[in-house]
Amino acid sequence: MSGKRAGSLYLMVVGLLLAAMGALFTWLLGDGYLRARTMSEWPQVECVILESGVEKRQIGEAVPVDYRFGVLYGYEFEGERYTSERYDARGAGWTKNPDKLVGVLAQFKEGSSHRCWVNPEEPSFSILKLDTRAPGYSIWFPMLFLVGGVGVVFSSLWKLVRPRG
């Protein structure tokens, strides 16, 4: 195999890897954006906070305690009553600093009323906080890798198949 041919094949592999990585992250960001957009179209209903507080966990004695916001709320959808513990679609995140939860605890006090979004296809699934649409604003970045990788592949292919001279 000539050095030029080996170099072109190497660049094709690199280009394919870049394009695959760009395609994967483009898909992940696109999926996150579409999920957030779909959730924002769910019907909103009035819900009442039944319980709210801080949940704790400790994986081991040498590991610091983790904290997260815990909530239980009730709502009515299409004549049926439901309860949910979901703050957002993925569940409240854990933190080492319980002070970070003060704001959300103050906002969602027991007995307070709020709007929650209900999945019309599965009414037992509801959320108090929508996902962000930020992935849609960042999708251009992995697309650069996708387009660049495809460009490297085609450029290398062109060098392999074009007539010499």
Side-chain angles (χ1 to χ4, degrees):
M1 183 180 292
S2 72
K4 250 185 179 179
R5 185 173 171 92
S8 290
L9 289 174
Y10 174 76
L11 284 176
M12 283 177 60
V13 169
V14 169
L16 285 171
L17 290 173
L18 280 174
M21 183 179 63
L24 173 67
F25 283 99
T26 298
W27 178 79
L28 289 171
L29 289 174
D31 185 56
Y33 172 78
L34 291 174
R35 182 176 48 251
R37 193 179 82 186
T38 300
M39 286 179 178
S40 68
E41 295 168 356
W42 288 355
Q44 293 182 49
V45 299
E46 194 74 22
C47 61
V48 176
I49 306 299
L50 304 173
E51 297 175 15
S52 72
V54 175
E55 296 177 1
K56 299 177 187 178
R57 76 171 180 191
Q58 189 170 17
I59 298 171
E61 289 184 25
V63 178
V65 176
D66 290 325
Y67 305 91
R68 79 171 175 184
F69 172 64
V71 66
L72 175 67
Y73 56 94
Y75 60 97
E76 191 172 309
F77 183 74
E78 295 181 345
E80 296 286 325
R81 290 183 179 218
Y82 298 94
T83 60
S84 179
E85 296 179 344
R86 285 185 188 85
Y87 174 61
D88 60 17
R90 291 177 188 81
W94 293 96
T95 181
K96 303 266 184 245
N97 184 356
D99 295 337
K100 290 183 177 181
L101 304 175
V102 171
V104 74
L105 281 169
Q107 183 181 0
F108 295 102
K109 292 180 181 176
E110 289 182 19
S112 62
S113 293
H114 297 273
R115 302 296 282 173
C116 58
W117 288 265
V118 179
N119 183 345
E121 295 174 8
E122 187 182 339
S124 63
F125 188 98
S126 65
I127 54 174
L128 289 171
K129 180 184 170 216
L130 290 173
D131 279 356
T132 179
R133 293 186 186 190
Y137 311 131
S138 306
I139 201 165
W140 63 270
F141 187 69
M143 285 180 152
L144 292 175
F145 287 87
L146 174 61
V147 171
V150 169
V152 169
V153 168
F154 280 116
S155 173
S156 300
L157 253 177
W158 177 251
K159 288 178 184 179
L160 280 177
V161 297
R162 76 174 181 198
R164 295 198 175 31

